[in-house]
C-alpha cells in the first residue's frame, strides 16, 4: 500500500471512525485524537451504525446543543474495492439537531 508507506493517515485499516476536515477537493486531513467512536451491526440485510463523539473537538468541529448543525458522511465498502477516493458520499449537508 503506497499510501501507508508514505505515512498517509487515511491508508491504514479502519475499525471505527475518523473526523476528516476539508476546504475543497484533495485537501482532506484527519483530526487526530477526536475521541469519536462508531459501532456497526449488519442484520437482516441492512446496517445500523451508532456514532458518538465529543460536542467540541479542539481545532475541529463543534456540535451545538439545541442549535443548527449539519453533517455529511463518506462510506467505503471494501467488498466493492472502494478504497482511497473511491467511496460513497453524501452530496448534501444533512441537518442534525441535538437536544
Amino acid at each position: 500500500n503506497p499510501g501507508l508507506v508514505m505515512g498517509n493517515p487515511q491508508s491504514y485499516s479502519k475499525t471505527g471512525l475518523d473526523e476528516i476536515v476539508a476546504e475543497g477537493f484533495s485537501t482532506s486531513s484527519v483530526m487526530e485524537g477526536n475521541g469519536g467512536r462508531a459501532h456497526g451491526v449488519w442484520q437482516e440485510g441492512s446496517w445500523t451504525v451508532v456514532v458518538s463523539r465529543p460536542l467540541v473537538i479542539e481545532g475541529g468541529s463543534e456540535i451545538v446543543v439545541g442549535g443548527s448543525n449539519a453533517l455529511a458522511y463518506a462510506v467505503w465498502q471494501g467488498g466493492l474495492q472502494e478504497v482511497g477516493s473511491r467511496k460513497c458520499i453524501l452530496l448534501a449537508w444533512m441537518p442534525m439537531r441535538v437536544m
Side-chain angles (χ1 to χ4, degrees):
N1 182 336
L4 190 60
V5 171
M6 296 304 296
N8 182 334
Q10 296 180 45
S11 295
Y12 60 89
S13 177
K14 307 289 193 231
T15 59
L17 79 136
D18 285 332
E19 175 149 338
I20 300 174
V21 295
E23 294 185 13
F25 291 105
S26 300
T27 64
S28 65
S29 61
V30 176
M31 296 298 302
E32 297 294 335
N34 65 41
R37 298 174 191 252
H39 179 74
V41 175
W42 175 260
Q43 186 175 14
E44 298 180 22
S46 69
W47 282 99
T48 299
V49 179
V50 175
V51 175
S52 65
R53 53 151 281 177
L55 293 174
V56 178
I57 296 176
E58 186 176 333
S61 62
E62 178 178 348
I63 297 174
V64 179
V65 176
S68 178
N69 301 278
L71 57 94
Y73 292 99
V75 179
W76 289 259
Q77 187 170 343
L80 295 177
Q81 282 67 52
E82 293 179 344
V83 296
S85 63
R86 284 176 278 169
K87 59 190 168 282
C88 179
I89 61 171
L90 185 62
L91 294 174
W93 289 103
M94 264 179 79
M96 176 183 71
R97 186 167 187 115
V98 177
M99 304 178 123

